[in-house]
Amino acid sequence: MTGPADRPRAEWPLYEVFVRGKRGLNHVHVGSLHATDDEMALRHARDVYTRRNEGVSIWVVRSDAVAASSPDEKDPLFAPAGDKVYRHPTFYAVADDVPHM
Amino acid sequence: MTDHDTPTPGASTSASTSHDHDADHGSVFDGLLGGDDSQWAFGTDFEDPLAGVDTTIPDGVDAAALASYCLMLGDDALVASHRLSQWASNAPDLEDDIALANVALDLLGQARLLLTRAAAADARLVPRLPEGSPVPPEDALAFFRDESAFRNVRLVEAENGDFAETVARLLVFSTYRLALLQRLAGSRDGVLSAIAVKGVKEVTYHRDYAGRWFLTLARGTAESRRRLVAGLDRVWPLRAELFRTHAVERTVAEQGVGVDPADVADEVDVLLEQVLSVSGIDRPEVPPTGTVGGGAGRDGRHTEAMGRLLAEMQVVARAHPSGRW
């Protein structure tokens, strides 16, 4: 029996790309691309997203491996945080020599 | 000639003045190009590969031979770059379109440095342009030389064919060029050495890209394998020319500034054999392309494809010999 997974796909799987700009920063989602496998996705990400000297490290992950919240859950998930001003650390002065805050 | 398509940091100034009606909002790029170095969107820290390099010609080196040698390596890169850039908007998918354009731009950057070095070592090589023409020597060499003055191997001037043939050609060319550049890093000429050190990192990636696609196409579908085998058959006859030692190459090798290509033949052969072997592809049994009157690309004797390539590459520059680009 031939399942859907055995047939040649018309399109390569989609990957999400995360790039770290420099040491000490975190990886940031920059976009997505198509590739046949993880290795090719890394190389495509290098070619598409770091060609202007943007990065020192790349993560790629299959888009279908990302679990995402649903817009329907927006209110129960996020609305309760909207009025809790005391949770923001705005009552402290940030020292001048602390970067990336 | 330019090998970068990135907006220069100064470009944001002119962009914002030309859009005064939009001054309240400014350019959408303002935040990205600001002084905050944690922004990475357009990259930072571009390096000059020749910064601090001694550009004088070393003692005991024949300047004319050095210049001719730089033309050979520069023309290989320039012509290969032009062919690869023809894939822009034509590759099988967006990602490989950009990958091939990146490879082309890397090679164009190498060509610029090598042609500039050639002109500095022997100004007589540079075609004469009208009095007052602002065209720099590297551009004069690229766009105003006739076919017989180009010193590239014929491998790089051949028509692209399909993607599989391009992959096969890029594998052979990048394996050859990487072996040359690795040795050239030890050149007595500081400029050639610096160009080689920069090029090794670039061409290592080109070879990796081509090798991976070679394996993928060989082990992919029956159709991808058929196309790869057919493409390799067309590429293979021009391989032998890469390792013929030209008199100029012998001279610069003896003087410690260049590499005798015959010295890298075995290494290149072993590496190609490894790729063929893991891909399960037989070594093509096709005779090498012959020479013309005892000469080949390094002597300025090219194939029919070269004239059409140059016509396309040079037509705009030649129509405006005093143009500023």
Side-chain angles (χ1 to χ4, degrees):
Chain A
M1 203 179 84
T2 307
D6 301 323
R7 267 183 263 131
R9 282 184 303 263
E11 197 162 63
W12 295 344
L14 192 65
Y15 281 81
E16 301 300 322
V17 181
F18 301 80
V19 171
R20 188 171 71 182
K22 56 167 65 173
R23 282 175 66 89
L25 294 185
N26 45 348
H27 286 74
V28 175
H29 183 240
V30 293
S32 52
L33 51 73
H34 290 97
T36 54
D37 57 31
D38 295 356
E39 274 300 313
M40 187 190 280
L42 271 180
R43 272 152 183 86
H44 279 168
R46 178 267 194 194
D47 284 325
V48 176
Y49 291 109
T50 68
R51 59 201 294 269
R52 299 195 176 97
N53 201 17
E54 293 97 333
V56 296
S57 169
I58 300 171
W59 288 347
V60 291
V61 61
R62 282 275 293 253
S63 302
D64 57 16
V66 174
S69 63
S70 155
D72 299 341
E73 306 168 292
K74 187 164 149 272
D75 282 348
L77 283 180
F78 307 118
D83 57 0
K84 312 292 193 296
V85 64
Y86 48 85
R87 287 181 183 165
H88 292 258
T90 52
F91 309 108
Y92 302 92
V94 178
D96 289 339
D97 56 353
V98 177
H100 310 309
M101 283 288 281
Chain B
M1 239 183 339
T2 171
D3 63 336
H4 55 78
D5 54 358
T6 311
T8 53
S12 61
T13 318
S14 57
S16 57
T17 50
S18 65
H19 293 88
D20 276 343
H21 60 280
D22 203 21
D24 289 348
H25 300 97
S27 161
V28 292
F29 299 115
D30 282 352
L32 296 173
L33 291 173
D36 179 4
D37 71 354
S38 67
Q39 293 289 355
W40 49 267
F42 287 118
T44 52
D45 303 332
F46 293 98
E47 293 162 8
D48 175 6
L50 297 186
V53 172
D54 181 5
T55 57
T56 56
I57 293 171
D59 290 339
V61 171
D62 177 352
L66 174 65
S68 293
Y69 184 61
C70 290
L71 274 192
M72 293 173 175
L73 297 180
D75 287 346
D76 281 357
L78 176 64
V79 174
S81 171
H82 185 78
R83 276 290 179 224
L84 289 171
S85 70
Q86 291 177 324
W87 275 106
S89 83
N90 293 313
D93 61 86
L94 175 71
E95 286 82 358
D96 284 295
D97 208 296
I98 295 176
L100 289 170
N102 286 346
V103 173
L105 284 170
D106 285 347
L107 291 170
L108 189 62
Q110 294 176 21
R112 293 189 61 186
L113 295 168
L114 287 161
L115 294 187
T116 300
R117 184 59 174 161
D122 186 356
R124 294 170 303 172
L125 290 174
V126 182
R128 294 286 294 262
L129 291 176
E131 192 74 27
S133 170
V135 172
E138 57 175 290
D139 283 22
L141 282 169
F143 299 124
F144 293 88
R145 268 182 303 157
D146 291 332
E147 180 181 324
S148 60
F150 274 81
R151 296 284 176 258
N152 55 286
V153 291
R154 294 173 296 177
L155 174 76
V156 292
E157 73 202 34
E159 301 274 355
N160 279 323
D162 61 10
F163 182 70
E165 183 177 336
T166 293
V167 164
R169 185 173 295 107
L170 184 60
L171 176 68
V172 172
F173 176 63
S174 57
T175 305
Y176 160 73
R177 191 169 180 84
L178 182 57
L180 284 186
L181 292 178
Q182 283 168 336
R183 284 166 176 73
L184 202 58
S187 170
R188 285 175 57 220
D189 181 34
V191 177
L192 267 184
S193 170
I195 294 170
V197 168
K198 165 186 144 72
V200 162
K201 296 172 204 159
E202 295 169 337
V203 181
T204 299
Y205 187 81
H206 305 169
R207 191 183 69 178
D208 177 74
Y209 173 85
R212 284 170 185 277
W213 262 118
F214 194 95
L215 178 63
T216 301
L217 294 173
R219 299 281 189 194
T221 64
E223 174 67 2
S224 71
R225 186 179 179 84
R226 182 191 69 74
R227 284 172 176 251
L228 183 69
V229 169
L232 189 63
D233 277 350
R234 284 189 288 274
V235 166
W236 206 254
L238 288 166
R239 188 185 53 102
E241 179 189 340
L242 306 178
F243 310 106
R244 293 178 78 224
T245 306
H246 188 277
V248 164
E249 290 167 320
R250 187 173 297 113
T251 303
V252 290
E254 285 165 3
Q255 295 176 351
V257 290
V259 180
D260 183 342
D263 290 347
V264 304
D266 289 346
E267 175 188 330
V268 171
D269 202 58
V270 167
L271 288 165
L272 290 177
E273 186 57 45
Q274 283 173 358
V275 179
L276 291 172
S277 164
V278 295
S279 304
I281 300 270
D282 293 331
R283 178 176 285 255
E285 290 184 12
V286 285
T289 307
T291 54
V292 181
R298 295 277 189 244
D299 307 289
R301 300 196 187 118
H302 296 284
T303 59
E304 199 183 329
M306 185 67 173
R308 290 195 296 272
L309 179 148
L310 289 181
E312 181 187 277
M313 189 177 85
Q314 297 181 332
V315 60
V316 176
R318 285 195 182 229
H320 305 283
S322 297
R324 193 182 297 279
W325 307 96

